[in-house]
Amino acid sequence: MIAPLTIDQALYVARRMREVDFAEVMATRWDDDPDRFAVDSFRLPGVAWAATTAVGEPAAIGGVALHTPGVGTAWLVTTEAFPQVALSVTRHVRQVVDRLLAGELRRIHAWSAAFHVEAHRWMERVGMRREAVLRALGKDGEDFFMYAITREE
């Protein structure tokens, strides 16, 4: 099931992120505190949701943050239970992207650490295209890739 994000779900997933998601997220943060990440994720302007397994375990949190007029920043982090909800999350994300691009947004972008190959494949599956390499964006010099989808695509 996918529903609007609660703080409890944000904390649950942030504390149990897959290792690769943790490494990617913390590469762009001032500290490595999953609780602070959860609170920040919950407070982002825009849309945010949680996907739960059949037994109600939060497996992924994500959304589209609105910081710039007409532009959204997509984000997603997952636990090891993600395979149980991957198909429903992919469908949900495609619907959200279509709805936002048909309405208030002309662009949705996301950046992903160069080492997170699985995330790159998934972003391409939901219609995003790699636009750029963001050299040394991470706090330890990690390269990131910028992915985006625009209203024209």
Side-chain angles (χ1 to χ4, degrees):
M1 178 169 86
I2 299 177
L5 181 64
T6 68
I7 189 64
D8 289 338
Q9 293 166 325
L11 288 164
Y12 185 94
V13 171
R15 292 171 180 166
R16 293 164 181 82
M17 275 187 270
R18 294 180 310 158
E19 188 176 314
V20 68
D21 286 357
F22 183 86
E24 179 180 69
V25 167
M26 297 308 161
T28 63
R29 296 188 53 82
W30 292 100
D31 60 41
D32 290 346
D33 186 339
D35 286 0
R36 286 190 187 153
F37 167 72
V39 170
D40 290 347
S41 298
F42 180 72
R43 291 182 176 167
L44 287 171
V47 297
W49 47 265
T52 55
T53 65
V55 296
E57 176 190 357
I61 59 174
V64 178
L66 304 176
H67 300 294
T68 306
V71 179
T73 302
W75 61 277
L76 175 72
V77 295
T78 66
T79 70
E80 294 297 335
F82 182 66
Q84 297 175 48
V85 299
L87 184 57
S88 62
V89 168
T90 301
R91 288 178 179 152
H92 178 75
V93 167
R94 285 181 179 159
Q95 290 171 354
V96 169
V97 165
D98 289 348
R99 179 175 49 83
L100 291 172
L101 290 177
E104 63 187 291
L105 300 182
R106 67 182 173 282
R107 173 186 173 87
I108 298 172
H109 60 221
W111 55 85
S112 179
F115 59 76
H116 201 335
V117 176
E118 181 183 359
H120 309 158
R121 286 192 302 260
W122 187 81
M123 285 190 281
E124 290 168 0
R125 255 184 240 124
V126 298
M128 300 182 103
R129 292 195 176 97
R130 187 182 300 180
E131 285 187 335
V133 177
L134 307 173
R135 299 273 181 229
L137 179 70
K139 66 184 173 191
D140 292 325
E142 300 93 342
D143 290 344
F144 276 68
F145 298 138
M146 174 66 77
Y147 283 81
I149 186 170
T150 61
R151 191 178 289 159
E152 297 81 39
E153 293 182 35

